[in-house]
Amino acid sequence: AKKQHTRLIVLEPKRGTIFDRHGRPLAINLPAYSLYANPKSMSEEDKERAVEILSRQFGFNKSFVQDRLDKEKYFIWLERKMPQELYEQIKAYKLKGIEFIKESKRFYPNKTLAAHVIGFAGIDNNGLEGMELRLDRYLKGKEGMSQILRDAHQRELLIEKNYVAPQDGFNVTLTIDETIQYIAERALEAGFKKHNAKGASIVVLNPKTGEILALANQPTYNLEDSTTARPENKTNRAVAYTYEPGSVFKIVAASAALEENVVKEDDIIFCENGSYKVGNHYLKDHESEGNLTFKQVIEKSSNIGTTKVAQRLGPGRYYKYAHKFRFGIRTGVDIPGEVGGWLKPPAQWSKTTIGAIPIGQEVTVTPLQLASAIAAIANDGIFMKPYVIKEIKDSHDQIIESFGPQEVDRVISSETDKRVKEILRGVVEEGTGRKAKIKGISVGGKTGTGQKVEGGTYSHSKFYATFVGFAPVEDPKLAAVVVFDEPHPAYYGGTVAAPVFQEVIDNSLKYLSTLEAGSDY
């Protein structure tokens, strides 16, 4: 009797909104109506009419509706969170025993924008990926409840008891800048298609704070249609994929060698005319070189020159600096799914390892690790922890929790850092990174072309193309990494990745200057 005369309604809280750093909504909740039936209150004629109208007029599966209505229940779902138009059309038929509950549905206004950062929530407003998952306990809120009385004819009376109001979720502000994110995604997608790549990633940081301003991957997916996306499209390559980076890793050898004073910029290094034996292996350069200054070794990306400098450092000292740059360990970023890559300690090195790790082989990294490392060089030699969550506020705009810059370590001295910056400026001005040049703005960076490993050997047809850099050199405002997986037929980092970096940083710096000037971009 009690069941017949009372109905418990769960009152869904409003899931919190996710904003970009300027308060622009990236994920919001909008009202949506859900359709349910009360079969116990329906006659056979009522059920037949409901089945016929819902299937014929609105495309519901006839056997599904019939099966639901045949159950001896007071409440059973028919359709969750319908479009407003469908709700209004069904409501107009006034079907007995067919009723609605007002809920809310997650909506992503920019569809694919920042998909791998934001993630998505399911039909019950539970976070399933990305920030939606990471911050679910803040965003979700707490359900309320209400009991409604019914008369003997199952008509609801306007009487409530045991009412508990739902508590809406908190709002979250990210460090992501919607405009820079859009600039980065547009350029990455164009490069991904142009170079027929298997995958691609880009990360843009504020090097002084570690704030992630943009993070994107290709292939991507539509947050509004996440259930149909392939698993690999939903994977955040920037934090969860590792690869051998190739020559971009020479930034570690350059930084360590100058800091430890084993070489100076103008020291001459004989590059063996393109072939150099390390252990039982012959190391090659992509172009045969004789005598080069150390500065030219990095500018021209000589494997042999870099290895000779690494040999002066020795395994112990080299490993120390690679570790200080946070390779082989997670950066600690507040994005789910981060992996740490692999950097083997000197005790595990073979006779040939000194000619491999310094040029980006026998080591694996994530794009975010590379972005954070180049950001440390841009930031006077200080490594900042990368982060994407800026603050959490309640519905009254009161701050519940806030997050700011965290200095992790000084990797190299300020003086050494200035020298490394100038060498990396030379890479863009005179060396392999010329396609990263920005008119009127100084750029520092490093190219990398890493061979993929297949069946235990290096492929001669599948590569990773990478560029890391920052600008302006004198006072870096942005640092970034661009990575392409299996681009073809072009595959060099300087050819494939550098132009994307150039476009993104050029347009982003212009946008930032308009913000400083207080005008529209």
Side-chain angles (χ1 to χ4, degrees), residues 414-433:
S414 180
E415 181 55 40
T416 297
D417 188 72
K418 289 184 177 67
R419 296 164 67 189
V420 175
K421 278 181 183 169
E422 286 306 310
I423 290 175
L424 297 181
R425 185 207 296 259
V427 171
V428 176
E429 292 294 326
E430 308 291 340
T432 57

Side-chain angles (χ1 to χ4, degrees), residues 41-57:
S41 71
M42 301 171 74
S43 67
E44 287 304 314
E45 290 76 15
D46 294 333
K47 292 178 181 179
E48 287 175 11
R49 181 169 181 257
V51 169
E52 181 65 20
I53 289 173
L54 289 175
S55 60
R56 180 166 47 83
Q57 299 291 343

